[in-house]
Amino acid sequence: MKIDELADRIRAADRRALARAITLIESARADHRTDAVRLLDALGRDRQALRIGLSGTPGVGKSTFIEAFGLMLTALGKRVAVLAVDPSSARSGGSILGDKTRMERLSREPLAFIRPSPSQTELGGVARRTREAVALCEAAGFDVVLIETVGVGQSETMVAEMADLFVLLLAPAGGDELQGVKRGIMEMADIILVNKADGDLKSQAVRTCADYAGALRLLRKRPQDPDGFPKALTISSIEADGLEQAWDEMTMLADWRRSRGIWERKRADQARFWFREDVRHGLMRRLTEDAALRKRLAELEKAVAEGRIAPAAAATEALAPLQSQRAKDA
Amino acid sequence: MKIDELADRIRAADRRALARAITLIESARADHRTDAVRLLDALGRDRQALRIGLSGTPGVGKSTFIEAFGLMLTALGKRVAVLAVDPSSARSGGSILGDKTRMERLSREPLAFIRPSPSQTELGGVARRTREAVALCEAAGFDVVLIETVGVGQSETMVAEMADLFVLLLAPAGGDELQGVKRGIMEMADIILVNKADGDLKSQAVRTCADYAGALRLLRKRPQDPDGFPKALTISSIEADGLEQAWDEMTMLADWRRSRGIWERKRADQARFWFREDVRHGLMRRLTEDAALRKRLAELEKAVAEGRIAPAAAATEALAPLQSQRAKDA
């Protein structure tokens, strides 16, 4: 299929074309990459979804939440895409979203589109591809793009760099339980949702929520927040309770930021961030696609590993050919 | 001073020469950088310290611990260097180690050397420089190098990439308290020390330690660990209690890894990591030191921010001059 035709079909919300395009951007082949770059540019950037980053450690009920939240949104007539950034999925061979059976009902929903994390070992690669998949989903006219992460290493930071809002999902915590929340992530969160506020856990969820609400009040107010944000709420995914309120808070926050130019400024910053990432990555590829340079790089790396040369000195030597090439050119 | 002379004086454990050399590696000036690279290579890599990475959120008593632990080590006749990776210190204008008054006694100790975090805004830069300062301290014959971090963003990962052991310092936790421990950091830790096991907090510290010991047992056993590791211990920095035991555990673990080649393999992996980081950084500098390329890069970045071009397409364009240069060359 021609790139222009693929672009047209994506913009016409053709799901198969979208899936195919995501496969294209995930490909490591150089010719595929050239096509992917052309496609992304051809699609334009006139359509915007609400991009929601979602983090939560395993066991907090992320899949159940996404299913319930997604179904609530599709019931409102919203088109919802679910993507994932999970560098660990490549290691385990599985995927953060598992087989879609974990979100069985949502995956059958015509207004929903679910795509597992690209299977690459390097976080940068996974994140870059997911970010481009987000752009494809926006071009395909989705209203909401949920980007989930399990929070391995720096993945929250990467997801925050492609999301308009960042939601942290927590489980009710007992006194001796590890919540796994790092200060940095607390500060990244726009909304904290304490899940499982149902049955026996309900009162514990309410207490946990109050604890986090208290903790959030201790954080410095950020210029991107209206009064009362970041906010902590309780929800129950299995009883579908509190989900609409959570959605109202998200849209309210998004509207507030849009009306003040904060939304647009953030999107511009994010685009800059990914441009720099792409340049960095491209530079590295350039150095390793030349066979002679790649060989030299491998030799230097071996010398470094064996302690025969300091990393900085080896790097200087590795980059020397580029310099002499420039000098020759001048 | 000539580079060779500076190297000789560092190897002779001259503290002023060491301080001066660290200032040199922290400098952004190109000629300083050339000297720094030469110095690092001239110093060799035949001396090894035990490099201990130390993480802990503010309030757990990190400075107090370092002071007590450092004094215990110097009392044993060990030479101790304390360095820091703290990208946030550049923002606040302060430093993780504050003025040295926070470790007043240790800073007066002839066997100890304390150096605050380099003041750079970018984590990569801070970490690279600290890693080189570690190499300088090793060449100067220190037995132990403590590298502390407050755990902003990815800084633990960076510290883990330059340390032989990773120690996580925690405070006794009540039920409604945020410990701020992320799963990834738990998995990074070789030893967890629950501080403040004294006075009113003692029983709470013991409970917290038991909780973490339990949590550690839930983690998969790593090939780099003997039985019983990772381990959780209680200590009291102010009563200097448990510090020698902690040190015994550290040296035991280090010896175990040394005897199995794990230590050396890890150091080789780390050297490779920093070589790649240096190459990546050097490539980026190359692209931005050429005035014409820098201008083009800025224009493309602006276009990306304004949504006129997709990040990937802009990156392809930014890198095109390098390509045509190569083609011209061929």
Side-chain angles (χ1 to χ4, degrees):
Chain A
M1 202 189 298
K2 295 253 173 54
I3 292 300
D4 288 344
E5 195 190 331
L6 187 57
D8 286 345
R9 281 169 60 173
I10 290 169
R11 290 186 60 90
D14 178 333
R15 296 160 61 101
R16 283 178 56 199
L18 175 61
R20 191 166 157 182
I22 295 181
T23 304
L24 181 69
I25 59 167
E26 288 175 358
S27 168
R29 266 176 53 183
D31 57 330
H32 287 171
R33 192 65 207 143
T34 307
D35 284 350
V37 171
R38 278 183 50 217
L39 175 66
L40 285 161
D41 207 45
L43 285 168
R45 278 152 301 284
D46 55 320
R47 291 180 177 168
Q48 287 194 339
L50 178 58
R51 306 173 179 173
I52 304 172
L54 177 72
S55 179
T57 43
V60 300
K62 217 148 58 252
S63 303
T64 319
F65 167 73
I66 293 172
E67 166 126 317
F69 190 67
L71 288 170
M72 184 271 295
L73 290 174
T74 55
L76 293 174
K78 303 285 179 197
R79 296 184 59 214
V80 181
V82 182
L83 306 170
V85 173
D86 179 18
S88 68
S89 68
R91 282 197 290 273
S92 66
S95 155
I96 193 176
L97 294 169
D99 41 13
K100 292 182 187 170
T101 54
R102 282 170 60 205
M103 298 177 199
E104 208 184 338
R105 286 175 59 208
L106 188 61
S107 66
R108 284 199 309 263
E109 180 58 51
L111 291 177
F113 177 86
I114 300 180
R115 178 85 179 196
S117 183
S119 57
Q120 299 192 12
T121 44
E122 189 228 337
L123 172 61
V126 173
R128 235 175 8 253
R129 296 301 163 255
T130 305
R131 199 266 174 183
E132 293 176 351
V134 171
L136 294 179
C137 292
E138 290 200 309
F142 282 91
D143 300 298
V144 177
V145 181
L146 271 170
I147 312 143
E148 91 165 291
T149 176
V150 286
V152 177
Q154 213 195 356
S155 62
E156 282 100 349
T157 312
M158 290 293 189
V159 169
E161 284 292 352
M162 60 181 95
D164 301 311
L165 303 179
F166 196 85
V167 174
L168 177 61
L169 195 68
L170 296 175
D176 58 352
E177 213 171 311
L178 286 180
Q179 271 287 64
V181 180
K182 201 168 78 152
R183 197 181 135 83
I185 294 167
M186 281 279 288
E187 287 178 348
M188 215 179 268
D190 294 306
I191 294 175
I192 289 180
L193 297 178
V194 181
N195 195 15
K196 305 186 183 180
D198 43 53
D200 290 347
L201 287 172
K202 183 150 191 173
S203 62
Q204 207 172 327
V206 171
R207 269 200 310 277
T208 301
C209 183
D211 289 345
Y212 279 92
L216 288 174
R217 275 192 295 271
L218 296 177
L219 298 176
R220 202 171 20 180
K221 193 162 185 304
R222 306 174 302 179
Q224 68 266 38
D225 290 332
D227 284 339
F229 281 91
K231 194 168 271 191
L233 306 168
T234 56
I235 56 160
S236 164
S237 298
I238 58 166
E239 294 181 354
D241 193 29
L243 300 178
E244 289 196 36
Q245 196 204 334
W247 171 242
D248 287 345
E249 297 285 358
M250 291 177 203
T251 47
M252 199 263 266
L253 181 58
D255 289 344
W256 189 88
R257 287 184 183 166
R258 263 198 210 94
S259 70
R260 273 153 188 84
I262 294 169
W263 170 288
E264 211 172 331
R265 217 153 47 228
K266 186 171 182 180
R267 287 242 168 168
D269 285 344
Q270 291 176 335
R272 258 185 231 110
F273 174 87
W274 292 104
F275 168 61
R276 285 178 196 154
E277 282 287 300
D278 282 345
V279 168
R280 238 188 294 270
H281 181 76
L283 279 171
M284 202 61 196
R285 215 179 40 227
R286 200 121 312 172
L287 195 65
T288 51
E289 75 192 352
D290 181 302
L293 290 182
R294 196 168 55 232
K295 183 161 173 278
R296 185 77 194 113
L297 208 61
E299 286 164 358
L300 284 166
E301 192 167 293
K302 189 160 177 283
V304 162
E306 289 167 1
R308 286 184 279 119
I309 184 171
T316 304
E317 225 181 298
L319 295 168
L322 295 188
Q323 206 151 34
S324 62
Q325 205 170 60
R326 268 242 327 276
K328 216 172 359 177
D329 219 57
Chain B
M1 202 189 299
K2 294 251 173 56
I3 292 300
D4 288 344
E5 193 190 332
L6 187 57
D8 287 344
R9 281 169 62 174
I10 290 169
R11 289 187 62 89
D14 178 334
R15 297 159 59 99
R16 282 178 56 200
L18 175 61
R20 192 167 154 181
I22 296 181
T23 304
L24 181 68
I25 60 167
E26 287 175 0
S27 169
R29 266 177 52 185
D31 56 331
H32 287 172
R33 192 65 207 143
T34 307
D35 285 349
V37 171
R38 279 183 50 217
L39 175 65
L40 286 162
D41 207 44
L43 284 169
R45 278 152 301 284
D46 55 320
R47 290 179 177 169
Q48 287 194 340
L50 177 59
R51 306 173 180 175
I52 304 172
L54 177 72
S55 179
T57 42
V60 299
K62 217 149 57 256
S63 303
T64 318
F65 167 73
I66 293 172
E67 166 127 317
F69 190 67
L71 288 170
M72 184 271 294
L73 290 174
T74 55
L76 293 173
K78 304 284 179 197
R79 296 183 60 215
V80 182
V82 182
L83 306 170
V85 173
D86 178 18
S88 68
S89 69
R91 283 197 290 272
S92 66
S95 153
I96 192 177
L97 295 170
D99 40 11
K100 292 182 188 169
T101 53
R102 282 170 58 205
M103 298 177 202
E104 207 182 339
R105 287 175 59 210
L106 188 62
S107 66
R108 284 199 309 261
E109 181 58 50
L111 291 177
F113 177 85
I114 300 179
R115 178 84 178 196
S117 183
S119 57
Q120 298 192 14
T121 44
E122 190 227 337
L123 173 60
V126 173
R128 234 172 12 251
R129 297 299 162 256
T130 305
R131 199 265 173 181
E132 293 177 351
V134 170
L136 294 178
C137 291
E138 289 200 311
F142 282 92
D143 301 298
V144 178
V145 181
L146 272 169
I147 312 143
E148 91 166 288
T149 175
V150 286
V152 177
Q154 213 195 354
S155 62
E156 282 100 350
T157 312
M158 290 293 189
V159 168
E161 284 292 351
M162 60 182 94
D164 302 310
L165 303 179
F166 196 85
V167 174
L168 178 61
L169 195 69
L170 296 176
D176 58 351
E177 214 169 308
L178 285 179
Q179 271 287 66
V181 179
K182 199 168 79 152
R183 195 181 136 85
I185 294 167
M186 280 280 287
E187 287 178 348
M188 216 178 269
D190 294 305
I191 294 176
I192 289 181
L193 298 177
V194 181
N195 196 15
K196 304 186 185 179
D198 43 51
D200 291 347
L201 287 173
K202 182 149 191 174
S203 62
Q204 206 172 329
V206 171
R207 269 200 311 277
T208 301
C209 183
D211 289 344
Y212 279 93
L216 287 174
R217 277 192 295 272
L218 296 177
L219 297 177
R220 201 171 22 181
K221 192 161 186 300
R222 306 174 303 179
Q224 67 267 36
D225 290 332
D227 284 339
F229 280 91
K231 196 167 268 191
L233 307 168
T234 57
I235 57 161
S236 163
S237 298
I238 58 166
E239 295 180 354
D241 193 28
L243 299 178
E244 289 195 35
Q245 197 204 332
W247 172 240
D248 287 346
E249 298 283 0
M250 290 177 203
T251 47
M252 201 263 265
L253 180 59
D255 289 343
W256 190 87
R257 289 185 183 167
R258 262 198 211 93
S259 69
R260 274 154 188 84
I262 294 169
W263 171 288
E264 211 172 329
R265 218 152 46 229
K266 186 171 182 180
R267 287 241 170 170
D269 286 344
Q270 290 176 335
R272 259 185 231 111
F273 174 88
W274 292 104
F275 168 60
R276 285 178 196 156
E277 282 286 299
D278 281 345
V279 168
R280 239 187 293 269
H281 182 76
L283 279 171
M284 201 61 196
R285 215 178 41 228
R286 200 121 312 168
L287 195 66
T288 51
E289 75 192 353
D290 181 301
L293 290 182
R294 196 168 57 233
K295 183 161 172 277
R296 184 75 193 115
L297 208 61
E299 285 165 0
L300 284 166
E301 191 168 296
K302 191 161 176 280
V304 162
E306 290 168 359
R308 286 183 280 120
I309 184 170
T316 303
E317 224 181 299
L319 295 167
L322 295 188
Q323 207 151 34
S324 62
Q325 205 167 60
R326 267 243 326 276
K328 217 174 354 180
D329 221 54

